[in-house]
Amino acid sequence: SVFLVMTNPYAHIIEPLDPQKPDHKFFNLKKLKDPRYDQLPFSIRVLLESAVRNCDGFLVKKEDVEKVLNWKVTQSQTVEVPFRPARVILQDFTGVPAVVDFAAMRDAVKKLQGDPERINPVCPADLVIDHSIQTTGQETMTPFACLGACSLVTIYYLFHSLRSDSLQKNQDLEFERNKERFEFLKWGSKAFQNMRIIPPGSGIVHQVNLEYLARVVFKRDGYYYPDSLVGTDSHTTMIDGLGVLGWGVGGIEAEAVMLGQPISMVLPEVIGYKLQGTPDKYITSTDIVLTVTKHLRQVGVVGKFVEFFGPGVASLSIADRATIANMCPEYGATAAFFPVDHISIHYLNQTGRDTEKLNYIEKYLKAVGMFRDYSNTSEDPQFTQVVELDLSTVVPCCSGPKRPQDKVTVSEMKQDFKMCLGAKQGFKGFQVAPERHDVQVPFQFNGAEYSLSHGSVVIAAITSCTNTSNPSVMLGAGLLAQKAVNAGLSVKPYIKTSLSPGSGVVTYYLKESGVMDFLSQLGFEVVGYGCMTCIGNSGPLPEPVVQAITQGDLVAAGVLSGNRNFEGRVHPNTRANYLASPPLVIAYAIAGTVRIDFEKEPLEVFLRDIWPTRDEIQAVERQFVLPAMFKEVYEKVEKVNERWNSLEAPSDKLYTWNPNSTYIKSPPFFDGLTRELQTPNSITDAYVLLNLGDSVTTDHISPAGNIARNSPAARYLTSRGLTAREFNSYGSRRGNDAVMARGTFANIRLFNKFINKQAPSTIYLPTGETMDVFDAAEKYQQAGHPLLILAGKEYGSGSSRDWAAKGPFLLGIKAVLAESYERIHRSNLVGMGIIPLEYLPGDSAESLGLSGRERYTVIIPPQITPRMTVDIKLDTGRTFQAKMRFDTDVELTYFHHGGILNYMIRKMSEN
């Protein structure tokens, strides 16, 4: 048994959930008879249950249980506790490198005379192939004209009548482009135990998780316990909306969990977010979440849990809650938890879960005090801090132009964009000269004359898990499209429009409700099921549009229903990108510009006259979003993809690496690894590779989008015989370290203070030459020089990309010195053996007068303790101090091993 009950000091609280089924047991936390339990936030109760159930005196000790139970005191003491999630979830962009690492770890264990088959997931892992999709596009849009890799298996029983020879040809081309990666993943599903692959075309990972994979209560090895998970995507938090505690971790950390290691975490503070009132009839869940995002950014919740309570929660559907929980990384919290209530059970029934499961889910959660009645204030736990939002005060809004937390009300959008045009270059500024604010650039498209100006919309995408999981906003978009078409409105043909639903179920109810045809008439065709525009997979814009933008140096706009709009992420030609609800995406597409005040300026008719109310939307939802749809789609989810089923994969337990592959390559992380530990040395006379500012995202560090034709990665692929059309994206090549190392800091929007402009370049300090970042790093490594990165606040914010740590490791970066870190990225740096250094409070590069041209020596003492302060000496003779952000003893253990994967290899090689 995975629970090692014989050694568990809490075995006395085990009892059957049903006396008629004595083999189905659970740890009844109520039998602890500890008054502190009923005061714990519900999210902390999940951590406690895991600690009690897994208490073996080794990985989880009895004192760890006491630390969690005593949360009211220990939350403020930086106390470390282990947490063993019930499962792990991955998507293909992060899943491929995880499987690559597992394959390479097997090789490494074998070299150390260990048993390679010990490298196996112990914790169940689901991998959903969804990020391979890309909107390729055509200038004349027809049904399914923009197909990506994941849409080739579009739920065939719904759309077989729309298929055509040209569509099939495009599908074949896209499948072939990703075939090698898919074959590798299929090998992984055979070679490793406890790993399930959900084939391409099923939906966005978070939507599939919500509708299909979520257990809410696990039933395994004869025990019931709360479903919980970590995932290799920062938006794993979406599942918190269903009452399943989960959050994003780096791929490196997820691999350790898969191998049976607990997550070592600092017991978090829990912010109680009280919701009151009900939203106005015209308000969408997107408006609510953007309001919450800005509010919680102001409160400051980085590294904390947020738990929602109050009577207002009962007015939110699970889809609404999931939307709020999904955006958790954008407001910086670790998790955003909505405990299970009767609406959660209704959702499980609506999405086709069977009756037996529903019965034991509710029975178990009530037995352990984890089932909520939001109207009963006596159930409200104690929180670290309570903040409130009256839902009736929420107004329609967007967010941008460069960050998800920069909320802009729709009524202020026109004026706000005008301000951004002239403002100094920054998160809210483009620094365009006043005389150029009204420039117009004419161009021809499909034989007609058009013109672009600053703020012209060139991408309008209903995309991303955040909103395409939510029937209310998807049906709202459909009803708005219906009313717009009936009013004679249309979208200009050069605007790249797309619709990528979260799963096949969404297309099902859009079609059944009759709104799909109207979405299509406005250009919002279903282009596939997966993450697209939000992660940079928007594909190319029409060449005349690109030429006009370039000619006028225009700040063109993208409007998307996603959750990320960082610079350079959505598309290199859209400098302004706004997050908006699906109905607003359609509204701005019709307007053709973000420089519009919908209250005062009509789209032939005023937007308010065609905007659907919540009552209208809910009536359609009740009629057309049915359990049978979910059952029909998900019963076939692992069988429907004939192309996937026909793929052949080797059955060997060790992977046979193809030296000619440009997608899958054995990484050099474990080259020369020995059983013996190396004593950490001080970093001596290191050069600074890059001098960066605030909010450097993982997109800046390791972009996922297109590979620029003049980049080091492009030169490498060309040397391997590939043409530019075959480059694909960085995201699709995460299984090849040679490409990903060259793609590190390759974002065109990277602002490096050394060159004082946006470019993927730096100065090679020994000679003063300006060159690509990879080329400079290569020269430093050839000369034997260690490297550092200087950065400001929130270093590594954004997606949880393991390559944002692996890439710097391969460039020879030994440490990062920043004012603060995003949680997941700091953990990833530790996982790769890179030291995260943090300035002492009040210090920064500016306050210390650091130019980055100095050489740095970081003094590492023989005995290291968590969060200790170390001396940093400069070649100028100055010395200052910084904190080493190893937050726990376990992280220090990983560092001494040179990284978490090295630690696991040594552990698995033991006799």
Side-chain angles (χ1 to χ4, degrees), residues 752-765:
N752 179 9
K753 296 178 184 179
F754 281 158
I755 58 175
N756 204 31
K757 66 177 182 180
Q758 291 181 333
S761 306
T762 194
I763 293 176
Y764 180 65
L765 294 174

Side-chain angles (χ1 to χ4, degrees), residues 438-684:
D438 297 317
V439 65
Q440 298 279 333
V441 181
F443 69 100
Q444 283 197 334
F445 183 79
N446 285 355
E449 289 281 346
Y450 300 96
S451 69
L452 293 180
S453 58
H454 294 299
S456 288
V457 174
V458 295
I459 290 178
I462 299 176
T463 182
S464 174
C465 44
T466 306
N467 286 293
T468 60
S469 66
N470 192 329
S472 66
V473 291
M474 296 303 287
L475 288 169
L479 292 172
L480 177 68
Q482 182 178 28
K483 294 183 179 186
V485 169
N486 290 338
L489 301 178
S490 62
V491 176
K492 294 180 177 66
Y494 62 80
I495 296 176
K496 189 158 198 176
T497 50
S498 61
L499 169 60
S500 53
S503 74
V505 177
V506 180
T507 308
Y508 206 147
Y509 62 66
L510 289 177
K511 189 170 184 288
E512 291 296 310
S513 62
V515 299
M516 180 65 84
D517 289 342
F518 298 100
L519 288 163
S520 298
Q521 288 181 58
L522 293 180
F524 289 91
E525 305 287 353
V526 173
V527 296
Y529 303 93
C531 289
M532 283 182 27
T533 304
C534 192
I535 61 160
N537 279 355
S538 52
L541 293 175
E543 192 56 37
V545 172
V546 174
Q547 290 175 358
I549 293 171
T550 304
Q551 178 185 335
D553 193 20
L554 298 177
V555 181
V559 184
L560 62 152
S561 66
N563 41 34
R564 295 274 166 78
N565 55 343
F566 301 126
E567 285 187 288
R569 180 183 178 99
V570 174
H571 196 281
N573 295 118
T574 58
R575 290 160 63 188
N577 295 285
Y578 289 92
L579 307 182
S581 66
L584 271 177
V585 170
I586 292 176
Y588 280 110
I590 294 170
T593 181
V594 296
R595 299 172 77 173
I596 184 172
D597 183 343
F598 287 123
E599 288 294 314
K600 299 175 182 176
E601 301 172 61
L603 305 166
E604 297 185 23
V605 297
F606 281 101
L607 182 59
R608 59 177 173 268
D609 296 329
I610 58 173
W611 192 270
T613 66
R614 287 175 73 89
D615 288 343
E616 289 178 79
I617 295 167
Q618 288 170 3
V620 176
E621 184 176 350
R622 283 192 296 271
Q623 185 177 356
F624 293 105
V625 182
L626 304 172
M629 294 180 176
F630 293 88
K631 286 183 177 179
E632 182 174 355
V633 169
Y634 283 114
E635 280 176 357
K636 302 177 181 180
V637 71
E638 294 182 53
K639 303 174 184 176
V640 71
N641 188 340
E642 295 175 4
R643 294 295 300 273
W644 170 266
N645 295 337
S646 68
L647 285 176
E648 294 184 3
S651 57
D652 300 337
K653 297 300 182 181
L654 293 176
Y655 187 70
T656 303
W657 306 95
N658 177 1
N660 297 319
S661 174
T662 57
Y663 279 104
I664 306 298
K665 179 177 175 291
S666 181
F669 304 137
F670 315 124
D671 291 354
L673 183 66
T674 62
R675 289 181 178 272
E676 297 74 29
L677 293 185
Q678 304 298 316
T679 303
N681 296 317
S682 296
I683 301 171
T684 306

Side-chain angles (χ1 to χ4, degrees), residues 253-485:
E253 193 173 5
E255 291 167 32
V257 174
M258 290 164 67
L259 290 165
Q261 293 296 296
I263 287 177
S264 179
M265 60 185 292
V266 174
L267 196 61
E269 295 182 349
V270 182
I271 306 301
Y273 200 93
K274 187 173 186 178
L275 293 175
Q276 303 194 79
T278 55
D280 181 81
K281 63 181 180 179
Y282 293 114
I283 295 302
T284 69
S285 57
T286 314
D287 301 320
I288 296 171
V289 73
L290 294 179
T291 301
V292 169
T293 298
K294 182 177 181 180
H295 185 195
L296 285 174
R297 270 289 175 188
Q298 293 170 335
V299 170
V301 292
V302 173
K304 303 175 184 180
F305 284 3
V306 175
E307 185 167 307
F308 292 83
F309 74 110
V313 177
S315 68
L316 300 177
S317 68
I318 294 301
D320 291 336
R321 300 177 193 182
T323 304
I324 295 170
N326 184 296
M327 289 285 276
C328 179
E330 280 65 52
Y331 42 84
T334 300
F337 193 66
F338 289 83
V340 174
D341 69 345
H342 70 281
I343 294 177
S344 314
I345 302 298
H346 172 74
Y347 175 83
L348 292 172
N349 179 57
Q350 182 188 37
T351 49
R353 269 71 165 201
D354 65 59
T355 304
E356 181 189 355
K357 287 183 180 178
L358 298 185
N359 289 338
Y360 76 64
I361 287 170
E362 187 166 351
K363 188 172 185 179
Y364 168 79
L365 292 175
K366 286 182 175 178
V368 292
M370 294 188 196
F371 194 88
R372 263 258 47 177
D373 177 356
Y374 287 99
S375 64
N376 185 354
T377 58
S378 69
E379 291 185 3
D380 292 349
Q382 294 186 355
F383 295 108
T384 307
Q385 176 188 355
V386 172
V387 293
E388 298 186 18
L389 174 67
D390 185 340
L391 293 171
S392 66
T393 65
V394 175
V395 298
C397 55
C398 298
S399 188
K402 301 180 184 182
R403 296 192 303 182
Q405 64 262 40
D406 294 330
K407 187 185 80 167
V408 186
T409 62
V410 172
S411 61
E412 297 172 343
M413 185 74 152
K414 183 177 182 179
Q415 190 60 34
D416 188 81
F417 183 81
K418 181 180 178 181
M419 181 276 294
C420 289
L421 270 184
K424 183 181 177 182
Q425 185 70 240
F427 300 126
K428 293 287 287 186
F430 297 102
Q431 208 162 336
V432 175
E435 63 272 15
R436 296 192 58 256
H437 283 198
D438 297 317
V439 65
Q440 298 279 333
V441 181
F443 69 100
Q444 283 197 334
F445 183 79
N446 285 355
E449 289 281 346
Y450 300 96
S451 69
L452 293 180
S453 58
H454 294 299
S456 288
V457 174
V458 295
I459 290 178
I462 299 176
T463 182
S464 174
C465 44
T466 306
N467 286 293
T468 60
S469 66
N470 192 329
S472 66
V473 291
M474 296 303 287
L475 288 169
L479 292 172
L480 177 68
Q482 182 178 28
K483 294 183 179 186
V485 169

Side-chain angles (χ1 to χ4, degrees), residues 698-726:
T698 51
D699 284 287
H700 290 115
I701 304 168
S702 183
N706 292 335
I707 297 172
R709 297 187 182 190
N710 61 345
S711 65
R715 294 196 292 273
Y716 168 80
L717 292 171
T718 301
S719 73
R720 301 298 299 269
L722 273 65
T723 65
R725 291 185 62 184
E726 298 171 304

